Amino acid sequence: VMYDSLNVAAEFLQLMFKVFWAFVVAGWRWFVRPAEKSVAGQVCVVTGAGGGLGRLFAVEFARRRAVLVLWDIDRSRLEETADIVRRICRESARYPKQEDEPQVHTYVCDVSLRENVYATAEQVRRDVGHIDMLVNSAGVVSGHHLLECPDELIERTMLVNCHAHFWTTKAFLPKMLEVNHGHIVTVAHSLGLFSTAGMEDYCASKFGVIGFHESLSHELKAAEKDGIKMTLVCPSLVDKNMFKGCQNRKEMALLLPPLQPEYCVKQAMRAILTDQPMICMPRIMYMMTFMKTILPFDAVVSMYRFLGVDKCMYPFLGTSHHKESMNNNKAKGYLVSLQGYGDVAVLESSLLGPAA
């Protein structure tokens, strides 16, 4: 018994040292930027690449000479992204010769459909080979209060924002485990760390995918697969059409500004290329997440009201498509389309009769 007690005490001291050292390393990284790893020649899959953050991720990886595999549900926007990538890189000094242009492969895929994901992944393996980077950036938002949102849109939000990460990861992770090399990027949202009013389905989907990401990270550590990196990206409100009209308290604009998509992706790329496990934007999101875990719920509500984040989505929800006709279980025959805007996608419903 004495030996066991001494063993536990020794392990506890070792634990304290590891915790302390983790703080030291994190503090060091704060002041001294780690060198970015090279992704030249590595195969990178980007979902939701038809626009928004997905398109910007494609451009950034292309500039670093990665082999691009772009997925989206909208073929025209997908090809538009490919053309933009080629044009930008053609004008870049990193691709001085025409034959050096980036390799860009495009695939139309609805990530909410499990069979479609697996089939597309198999096609990628045949066409391109083993992938090194998986960037899950596809996302949608229904834009309706809970009782005004058709069940079909709720299901679609969960499928695209959460379930799709399971399918893409299951499709590409086995080879990563075999070679102990790879990087999985989860583009989530700050609303997956703390919620706000009127976004029940979106918050649930982002909370779910963050839980998936964290659990998978622990599983890889338990399996000692340290060659596979994970990065969680949690931006706040992006100044784009996904949450158009959303705003916090005006006096808090300096603390909680709407983020530019280009800024989000550049910060995310820095985190990815330095193997940073998680990045929140702006930095105050780290503090808000911490405060949520230690404050009583009523205190959190008071904090939300002071910052203006309690009803920040209401202007956006107030302009949702066909809001007046969207009653939860009475909405029948809506044709739901997913526009490929990456993480700034919107779900639109049209009264065109039953979908074929």
Side-chain angles (χ1 to χ4, degrees):
V1 175
M2 178 66 70
Y3 175 80
D4 290 341
S5 298
L6 290 174
N7 190 40
V8 170
E11 289 184 8
F12 181 76
L13 290 175
Q14 186 180 34
L15 169 64
M16 290 297 99
F17 174 78
K18 290 181 177 180
V19 171
F20 170 76
W21 186 248
F23 274 100
V24 171
V25 172
W28 179 258
R29 288 173 61 102
W30 185 283
F31 295 104
V32 180
R33 182 192 303 179
E36 295 184 354
K37 65 184 180 182
S38 172
V39 293
Q42 296 194 15
V43 180
C44 176
V45 172
V46 181
T47 69
L53 300 189
R55 174 174 290 178
L56 293 174
F57 272 118
V59 170
E60 290 298 325
F61 277 107
R63 284 173 173 165
R64 291 165 174 82
R65 305 181 72 89
V67 177
L68 295 182
V69 177
L70 308 182
W71 290 16
D72 201 274
I73 196 173
D74 189 323
R75 180 179 295 278
S76 62
R77 292 184 61 84
L78 188 59
E79 295 302 332
E80 183 180 316
T81 296
D83 291 340
I84 290 172
V85 167
R86 294 188 183 102
R87 185 178 71 250
I88 290 176
C89 292
R90 192 178 301 125
E91 298 168 354
S92 171
R94 301 183 186 185
Y95 293 89
K97 300 178 181 179
Q98 185 173 0
E99 59 268 23
D100 292 336
E101 285 190 3
Q103 296 183 49
V104 184
H105 307 265
T106 58
Y107 297 85
V108 175
C109 179
D110 184 347
V111 294
S112 70
L113 301 177
R114 182 177 65 251
E115 296 81 3
N116 198 179
V117 170
Y118 291 158
T120 306
E122 182 59 33
Q123 187 64 45
V124 169
R125 281 189 287 270
R126 289 195 296 266
D127 296 345
V128 187
H130 163 61
I131 77 152
D132 303 282
M133 307 278 299
L134 172 61
V135 182
N136 282 308
S137 64
V140 295
V141 61
S142 64
H144 300 284
H145 290 280
L146 176 63
L147 297 183
E148 299 166 342
C149 187
D151 294 342
E152 293 82 1
L153 294 191
I154 295 174
E155 291 175 344
R156 185 71 167 173
T157 299
M158 295 301 298
L159 287 169
V160 175
N161 294 359
C162 184
H163 295 179
H165 292 247
F166 286 80
W167 318 143
T168 57
T169 302
K170 289 186 71 176
F172 295 116
L173 182 59
K175 186 63 177 181
M176 291 184 180
L177 290 171
E178 181 182 330
V179 299
N180 192 22
H181 171 78
H183 199 136
I184 299 174
V185 179
T186 300
V187 181
H189 198 278
S190 61
L191 291 179
L193 300 170
F194 53 85
S195 58
T196 188
M199 300 291 291
E200 290 83 0
D201 57 338
Y202 187 80
C203 289
S205 67
K206 294 301 184 179
F207 267 81
V209 79
I210 288 177
F212 164 76
H213 179 98
E214 292 181 351
S215 180
L216 180 59
S217 298
H218 287 300
E219 182 171 346
L220 293 175
K221 290 294 184 183
E224 298 183 351
K225 294 295 183 178
D226 294 329
I228 304 175
K229 308 301 181 181
M230 301 278 293
T231 298
L232 177 64
V233 180
C234 292
S236 182
L237 297 180
V238 178
D239 188 17
K240 204 69 174 177
N241 56 339
M242 186 175 191
F243 294 120
K244 188 174 182 179
C246 301
Q247 60 181 8
N248 300 310
R249 185 173 176 175
K250 293 181 180 179
E251 293 84 353
M252 297 295 155
L254 291 177
L255 287 176
L256 296 169
L259 303 175
Q260 294 302 312
E262 295 79 7
Y263 170 82
C264 288
V265 171
K266 287 187 180 298
Q267 293 297 310
M269 287 298 296
R270 180 183 301 176
I272 294 166
L273 298 177
T274 58
D275 295 332
Q276 185 174 328
M278 177 182 180
I279 180 170
C280 293
M281 297 168 277
R283 289 187 181 276
I284 194 175
M285 292 301 161
Y286 294 108
M287 180 60 67
M288 292 183 66
T289 303
F290 174 70
M291 296 298 290
K292 175 197 168 186
T293 63
I294 64 173
L295 293 177
F297 180 74
D298 288 343
V300 173
V301 171
S302 298
M303 181 178 70
Y304 276 28
R305 288 175 177 171
F306 175 75
L307 295 173
V309 300
D310 58 329
K311 297 180 180 179
C312 64
M313 294 294 176
Y314 278 24
F316 164 71
L317 296 172
T319 59
S320 298
H321 305 282
H322 307 293
K323 176 184 173 183
E324 67 280 355
S325 62
M326 293 287 192
N327 187 276
N328 184 35
N329 289 317
K330 294 181 180 179
K332 303 293 183 182
Y334 290 94
L335 179 62
V336 181
S337 70
L338 170 62
Q339 295 184 347
Y341 292 157
D343 202 50
V344 288
V346 292
L347 277 176
E348 291 187 331
S349 298
S350 177
L351 297 173
L352 301 177

